[in-house]
Amino acid sequence: MNIAVLSGGVGGARFVRGLVDAVDPSGVTVIGNVGDDLEVLGLHVSPDLDSILYALAGLNDEERGWGRAGETWNALESVADLGGEAWFKLGDRDLGLHLVRTQWLREGEPLSAVTRRLAGALGVEGTVLPATDDRLRTFVQTDAGELSFQDWFVRRGHRDEVTAVRFEGAETARPAPGVLEALGAADLIVIAPSNPFVSIGPVLAVQGIRDAITNRRVPSVAVSPLIAGRAVKGPADRMLSRLAGGTTPLQVTDCYKGLIDALVYDEADGEVDLGAVRPIVTRTLMSDADARRRLAEAALEAAAALR
Ligand code: GDP
Ligand code: CA
């Protein structure tokens, strides 16, 4: 079975890990957010793609939710001691990947090709693609003015209330090679339990991707990132309240108008009428490998029931 998954970092990576434990990974293509990408210390960092790669390679730090297990921080300490830019946390092992990626990009390889090489070297089964090879960057409007994504998210700890989101470069960004092919060949499209505005939003801001999903001939299922109206981690709940008018499954559904046929959401969110979108109610906390796999299976069952 071919499955195309739209994914951000932490929640998306956890889910995708469960998915490849539930199905043959060779049929899974993950289309990852690049709106968070940034240059740090001269290196190109793709935080969401890396969370996905590390999770699929089994190298991720489960508790932190990002970065690598067994990480050390010597290089960053040295950077801080020297008065360098140290607000974006890069571990020693993680830095190795950023060095390699940056070199390959400078040699002229597109991000999709670089990501494929990294995935191969890490022994990742399944395909990981950036949504686009073109420059696409997320900015948020706040009372403190417009902030670049990581400035808001990491440097300021996403404390500023977001009133609008903008995706620079989205108008001209083309889907990366393989993205439309994966969506076209998919038996099922899944939107991972990621932040709808700043993780999935940038992916859907690529018009070719949005069109392909709008015109799908196969089921599309989203998994809610909220449990009892609250984000497990991060600002998704605050953003939904402000930008979608609430944090029930209905507002999550509204983020994906015309793009999904079913929404998997947590039993703690009760019974909600989602109109034409089928509600699939289950436990959605991905606390361990079994819970992750079961959530992926719930999405697969939802899709099977739609056929
Ligand atoms: P980011 O790019 O690192 O911010 O990660 P994502 O956007 O992919 O994931 C963040 C979202 O994942 C948050 O809104 C969390 O609520 C959600 N999330 C994290 N863990 C879980 C979980 O175990 N279950 C569910 N349903 N959502 C989760
Ligand atoms: Ca992210």
Side-chain angles (χ1 to χ4, degrees), residues 128-288:
V128 180
L129 296 171
T132 180
D133 279 335
D134 299 323
R135 189 184 158 83
L136 187 158
R137 293 290 178 273
T138 301
F139 288 83
V140 295
Q141 263 75 244
T142 73
D143 288 342
E146 187 173 71
L147 303 171
S148 68
F149 179 81
Q150 299 293 2
D151 208 10
W152 166 68
F153 197 83
V154 176
R155 202 200 294 256
R156 298 170 69 91
H158 53 71
R159 62 187 143 84
D160 313 82
E161 172 120 331
V162 173
T163 53
V165 182
R166 179 173 74 87
F167 306 113
E168 190 174 276
E171 308 72 38
T172 51
R174 296 151 299 172
V179 168
L180 295 185
E181 290 80 353
L183 287 168
D187 303 300
L188 164 63
I189 297 167
V190 182
I191 299 181
S194 293
N195 186 309
F197 296 101
V198 291
S199 292
I200 303 300
V203 178
L204 294 171
V206 179
Q207 194 62 42
I209 297 179
R210 178 177 284 274
D211 290 345
I213 300 175
T214 302
N215 300 323
R216 70 192 176 278
R217 294 212 197 84
V218 296
S220 171
V221 177
V223 182
S224 174
L226 302 184
I227 298 180
R230 303 288 304 271
V232 177
K233 200 181 168 191
D237 46 5
R238 284 185 286 133
M239 296 186 83
L240 265 130
S241 293
R242 174 73 194 233
L243 302 172
T247 62
T248 79
L250 190 58
Q251 282 87 32
V252 177
T253 305
D254 280 346
C255 292
Y256 301 130
K257 267 196 200 93
L259 300 170
I260 58 169
D261 307 299
L263 179 77
V264 178
Y265 71 80
D266 200 89
E267 56 191 24
D269 289 286
E271 261 182 54
V272 186
D273 181 1
L274 302 178
V277 170
R278 185 182 297 212
I280 310 291
V281 185
T282 185
R283 286 195 182 167
T284 69
L285 185 65
M286 298 178 282
S287 44
D288 59 20

Side-chain angles (χ1 to χ4, degrees), residues 75-143:
L76 199 75
E77 274 165 35
S78 173
V79 167
D81 289 346
L82 294 166
E85 199 186 7
W87 59 273
F88 196 86
K89 299 288 169 253
L90 297 173
D92 297 329
R93 291 168 191 270
D94 193 27
L95 269 165
L97 185 148
H98 305 314
L99 288 167
V100 171
R101 170 168 41 219
T102 302
Q103 186 190 355
W104 288 346
L105 286 171
R106 290 213 179 119
E107 287 169 0
E109 278 189 61
L111 184 60
S112 55
V114 170
T115 306
R116 191 178 323 117
R117 274 176 86 179
L118 293 171
L122 292 170
V124 167
E125 296 175 281
T127 306
V128 180
L129 296 171
T132 180
D133 279 335
D134 299 323
R135 189 184 158 83
L136 187 158
R137 293 290 178 273
T138 301
F139 288 83
V140 295
Q141 263 75 244
T142 73
D143 288 342

